[in-house]
Amino acid sequence: MTQEELLEIKADTSVDARGTSCPGPLLAAKKAIGTIDKGQIMEILSADEGTRNDIPKWCNKKGFECLGTLEESGFYKIYLKK
Amino acid sequence: MQQVTETQAVDFQKQIDALTAKVSTLEGMNQDQLSIAVVSGDFDKILAAMVISLGAAAMDTEVKLFFSFWALAALRDPKKSVAGKNFISKMFGIMLPKGKEKLKLSNMNMCGMGPRMIKSIMKKHGVLSLEEMFKQAGEFGIEITICEMSMDLMGIKKEELIDYPNMRFAGAVTFAGDMGESTSQLFI
């Protein structure tokens, strides 16, 4: 997905894990993924650089679709579709 | 073209059956599971074991930790104490760190200044504390197996260990078994 398309996305749920480092954001994402249905979109806010690379691997394993990452000032917004 | 005789065909069928049986056993053998032998009692090594475990658990990998020797100190509960220990056990009890907050760094310990510095940096960076990591590990169903033989050696009793939901006591055979069915094994 292009950055423009990502900007248009309306997430069904948002996980703000900016306060934690690896593996905190992934743990938060794992907890939150149970609250959304298949096909819904989750947004993860993380200031951790490692998480940006970890989330696509997690998606890959779990069969979720990682839509992409937006870089904000000092943190990332990672989008995935369950 | 050479004709395949009936005996040959039966032989082939037998071989195929044997192979199919073998493959299905092999497929069932290795689960998506991580086994870690946690032997070191250093703050940094326990931290590494917990971070890797939580990462794996978040990936839905089954995690089994086998705590042995120095690592047992990390599982002591500072609020608990046991009576009736013999002299050597008491001495060990005094010399070993009492719980995960008292662990030393494997490098740059500097009489306890190192761990204090690391902990404050961890806090600043939002890294979960060891206490919090053990709590999360419990929630994710990470299993901790404690080596009974090490407990005897170090004079550590079950009653002085932390409350952890998924804790069991066993020996090397149990860990060897866990390892055999795991896809990855680590020694920390």
Side-chain angles (χ1 to χ4, degrees):
Chain A
M1 245 182 204
T2 64
Q3 298 284 301
E4 288 74 28
E5 280 172 315
L6 284 175
L7 281 169
E8 297 289 310
I9 285 181
K10 186 85 186 72
D12 294 290
T13 188
S14 179
V15 179
D16 190 349
R18 280 176 288 184
T20 64
S21 282
C22 173
L26 196 57
L27 298 179
K30 187 182 155 63
K31 281 181 182 162
I33 197 80
T35 64
I36 62 168
D37 295 323
K38 204 172 160 52
Q40 287 192 309
I41 288 171
M42 183 161 88
E43 170 191 64
I44 303 149
L45 310 187
S46 167
D48 180 51
E49 183 94 35
T51 301
R52 185 191 183 181
N53 300 318
D54 283 357
I55 297 280
K57 292 204 175 69
W58 177 62
C59 290
N60 204 9
K61 184 171 178 191
K62 300 289 295 169
F64 308 141
E65 190 187 343
C66 192
L67 303 172
T69 306
L70 283 179
E71 214 175 315
E72 302 283 329
S73 59
F75 68 97
Y76 301 102
K77 279 180 173 173
I78 309 157
Y79 292 92
L80 66 91
K81 193 175 180 181
K82 191 177 179 184
Chain B
M1 276 289 280
Q2 205 186 336
Q3 280 287 322
V4 179
T5 65
E6 202 167 315
T7 7
Q8 276 175 322
V10 171
D11 268 357
F12 281 143
Q13 191 55 50
K14 268 188 192 157
Q15 284 180 16
I16 291 169
D17 288 348
L19 279 174
T20 320
K22 219 172 194 172
V23 167
S24 65
T25 355
L26 283 174
E27 273 174 351
M29 254 175 69
N30 282 339
Q31 300 165 16
D32 183 9
Q33 184 175 296
L34 165 69
S35 291
I36 308 182
V38 192
V39 180
S40 313
D42 302 313
F43 177 85
D44 38 342
K45 292 183 184 166
I46 299 285
L47 182 71
M50 294 316 287
V51 172
I52 296 169
S53 301
L54 285 173
M59 294 278 274
D60 275 342
T61 300
E62 188 95 7
V63 182
K64 300 198 168 183
L65 302 177
F66 186 73
F67 273 73
S68 156
F69 224 84
W70 303 117
L72 292 186
L75 298 177
R76 295 174 82 197
D77 189 328
K79 291 190 292 290
K80 294 180 188 169
S81 59
V82 207
K85 282 191 182 184
N86 64 27
F87 178 70
I88 294 181
S89 295
K90 269 185 199 152
M91 289 311 285
F92 257 106
I94 292 167
M95 287 184 297
L96 285 172
K98 203 161 165 99
K100 45 184 132 35
E101 294 310 317
K102 293 277 178 354
L103 301 178
K104 292 175 176 156
L105 276 179
S106 65
N107 275 311
M108 298 187 3
N109 188 56
M110 301 180 292
C111 304
M113 241 165 64
R116 270 214 299 279
M117 270 159 61
I118 286 286
K119 280 176 203 165
S120 82
I121 299 169
M122 278 168 65
K123 207 168 181 180
K124 211 170 120 197
H125 285 256
V127 179
L128 298 175
S129 68
L130 271 185
E131 182 72 42
E132 185 61 30
M133 284 194 193
F134 272 89
K135 205 172 140 249
Q136 297 261 5
E139 283 173 23
F140 280 112
I142 292 176
E143 190 181 89
I144 293 183
T145 305
I146 296 170
C147 172
E148 299 230 60
M149 188 265 277
S150 303
M151 277 209 314
D152 288 345
L153 287 181
M154 319 282 254
I156 291 177
K157 301 246 192 284
K158 289 176 187 175
E159 293 76 29
E160 59 181 312
L161 299 178
I162 54 164
D163 298 313
Y164 185 83
N166 209 355
M167 195 189 267
R168 59 178 186 164
F169 301 87
V173 175
T174 303
F175 181 64
D178 286 348
M179 251 190 334
E181 59 190 38
S182 299
T183 36
S184 21
Q185 302 87 4
L186 290 175
F187 181 92
I188 297 180

